[in-house]
Every structure is written in structure tokens, then in C-alpha cells.
Amino acid sequence: MAALGGDGLRLLSVSRPERQPESAALGGPGPGLCCWVSVFSCLSLACSYVGSLYVWKSELPRDHPAVIKRRFTSVLVVSSLSPLCVLLWRELTGIQPGTSLLTLMGFRLEGIFPAALLPLLLTMILFLGPLMQLSMDCPCDLADGLKVVLAPRSWARCLTDMRWLRNQVIAPLTEELVFRACMLPMLAPCTGLGPAVFTCPLFFGVAHFHHIFEQLRFRQSSVGSIFLSAAFQFSYTAVFGAYTAFLFIRTGSGSWTQGPDPSDGASSLCPLRGWRVH
């Protein structure tokens, strides 16, 4: 996960914020404005992440090593700056003014081992089916396959393969940082924890539509096949994004909880103000 740490498999508790004076309520932005700020911030992050891939003009395909190296640079820059968007969002909405940025994004040492180990085991079980199918289709037996996988030469070859580094290292790390650690803290106070699990992956899924333009540009397939492939990719990236967002929240990575109840008389408050860290 992008941000690991928390209290194991403990669902974040729900608490009511301390009621604020009426003057504070009148001075803060309305709930609608806060939600728009949250959505716009997430949209800006998604557009910046995808847009960074196209700042380099090139006639080469996306799998060319030179193109991959350039995109590594731009994506790493955007990902490194993405926490600043969360910081700006916090200043605009007033959420968690006394909370550190890393804590807000879920980076903490408390409970890091169960929060890292249990999702890892669960994800391994999730991919057990494809791995078994791969082993059945492989002409070599299990022992020979394990020798190849565990051989230092195989790993050295992977570490020099730009496509492997992109698919297995850079893309997962940067995507989890931007689309989970940065977006979920901004969406959860506005939508609630449950809806945020299904809302956040939509940004993640839509961000993969940019592959359509490259496939059409290089005419890698028919138009119908390209759009069908894009729809399928959106589906499974959105589902997997919901899975990782659920793990992020379920392991207690986030420091945020449920927002204020309108029955408390704070309906004019921004739903992001007055939240407490547990």
C-alpha cells in the first residue's frame, strides 16, 4: 500500500467533533464549497499525474526505454510534489491544523507490521489463482520455476529492464502515493469513509484512459478493440483501486474519521472543520 501503518485490522472509529462557536461556523466555508475543493484537488492531482507523461515530445512508443526514462523523471517529480496539494487543501478547508502532513497521509510507525503483513498476505491470496494458472501453463515443473524466480541473475535482469521497473516499481509506488495516500484524506471527510472507497478509484480508473490516444496514434489495433480494452482496463483498475482503498482505511492508515452530524447544529460548518485525530 502507498501508506502503511495503523492499528492492524481495526476499523477507524467514528467520533463527533467538538461543537464550535457560531462565529466560527459563520466564518468557515460551507459544506458544498469544501466538497468542491476536495473533488477539484483530486482532479488536479489526477490530471497532473497523467499530464506529466506527455510533457516530453517524442515519436517513439511508450515502451521504448528512452520514453520510459523520461516519464520516470516527470512522474517522480509530480508524485514528490503531490503532498503539497494535500497541504494546500488542508489550509483551504481547515482540516486537522495540528496534524502533520505525513500522519494525515497515513505514514506512521504505529502498527506498521500488521498493517503491512496482513494486506500483503491477502493480496497474495487474491493472485493465487493467476499464479496457479501460470504454473500449469509453464512447461517446466515447480522446482525449476522456483529456481528461475529466485535466481539472482533473473532479478538482475529485471532491475535493468525499463518496462519491468515501470510496471512493478515506479507505477505502483507513485500511483498508491497519489491516488490513495493523497486523495483519500481529501475525499473521506466530504463523502464519508464508505463512499470514498468507491469514489477514489474512479479517478484512478479514468486516469488510465490516456492509453487510448497512444494506441490510436500508433494504430496498435482496431478502434473497437482499443475502446473495449480501455473499458476493461477501467473496470479492473477501479475494482483494484477500491480494494486498496479499503485496505488503506481498514488498517487504520488514515488519521481522519467521520465528519460532523448536522443534528449537532453545525450544518453551516465545513464538514472538514473540527475533526480529531485518534
Side-chain angles (χ1 to χ4, degrees):
M1 298 302 297
L4 291 176
D7 304 321
L9 294 182
R10 178 183 62 82
L11 186 61
L12 296 180
S13 60
V14 178
S15 65
R16 293 170 179 261
E18 297 179 357
R19 191 167 181 176
Q20 295 187 0
E22 184 177 357
S23 59
L26 295 176
L33 178 60
C34 287
C35 287
W36 278 111
V37 171
S38 300
V39 173
F40 179 77
S41 300
C42 293
L43 184 62
S44 299
L45 278 179
C47 292
S48 299
Y49 186 91
V50 176
S52 68
L53 303 175
Y54 296 94
V55 296
W56 312 98
K57 293 184 178 180
S58 176
E59 300 298 327
L60 300 173
R62 64 185 295 266
D63 289 334
H64 193 279
V67 175
I68 295 177
K69 290 179 181 180
R70 290 176 179 177
R71 291 185 170 185
F72 277 1
T73 303
S74 55
V75 164
L76 289 174
V77 169
V78 170
S79 301
S80 300
L81 296 176
S82 59
L84 297 179
C85 184
V86 183
L87 185 62
L88 177 61
W89 167 84
R90 185 181 66 176
E91 295 300 321
L92 291 175
T93 58
I95 184 175
Q96 307 284 16
T99 308
S100 68
L101 181 61
L102 291 179
T103 302
L104 186 62
M105 294 171 58
F107 291 94
R108 55 185 181 180
L109 296 178
E110 180 186 1
I112 188 172
F113 291 108
L117 181 60
L118 295 177
L120 177 61
L121 294 176
L122 184 60
T123 305
M124 291 172 62
I125 296 174
L126 180 66
F127 283 91
L128 190 60
L131 291 175
M132 289 298 297
Q133 183 65 41
L134 182 63
S135 64
M136 294 172 62
D137 294 339
C138 183
C140 58
D141 57 20
L142 181 60
D144 293 337
L146 289 176
K147 289 181 180 179
V148 173
V149 172
L150 299 177
R153 183 177 300 177
S154 299
W155 285 100
R157 189 182 304 113
C158 290
L159 294 176
T160 57
D161 185 351
M162 289 295 103
R163 293 181 60 183
W164 187 90
L165 288 174
R166 178 193 63 190
N167 298 336
Q168 310 299 331
V169 180
I170 301 299
L173 289 177
T174 57
E175 287 174 354
E176 291 303 311
L177 173 64
V178 173
F179 291 93
R180 237 71 66 194
C182 290
M183 288 191 182
L184 270 175
M186 295 190 291
L187 286 175
C190 179
T191 64
L193 297 180
V197 169
F198 298 98
T199 304
C200 187
L202 297 180
F203 293 96
F204 184 55
V206 171
H208 288 80
F209 277 141
H210 73 95
H211 294 303
I212 295 177
F213 303 106
E214 292 192 8
Q215 293 174 352
L216 291 174
R217 176 186 175 188
F218 293 99
R219 299 179 181 180
Q220 296 178 356
S221 184
S222 63
V223 176
S225 298
I226 291 175
F227 279 94
L228 183 62
S229 175
F232 178 73
Q233 188 177 29
F234 169 79
S235 300
Y236 73 74
T237 51
V239 170
F240 187 78
Y243 165 74
T244 54
F246 171 77
L247 290 181
F248 183 92
I249 293 175
R250 193 69 170 86
T251 54
S253 295
S255 63
W256 14 262
T257 55
Q258 197 77 335
D261 190 337
S263 63
D264 289 338
S267 57
S268 61
L269 268 172
C270 172
L272 306 180
R273 292 186 179 274
W275 285 35
R276 297 199 298 269
V277 181
H278 289 270

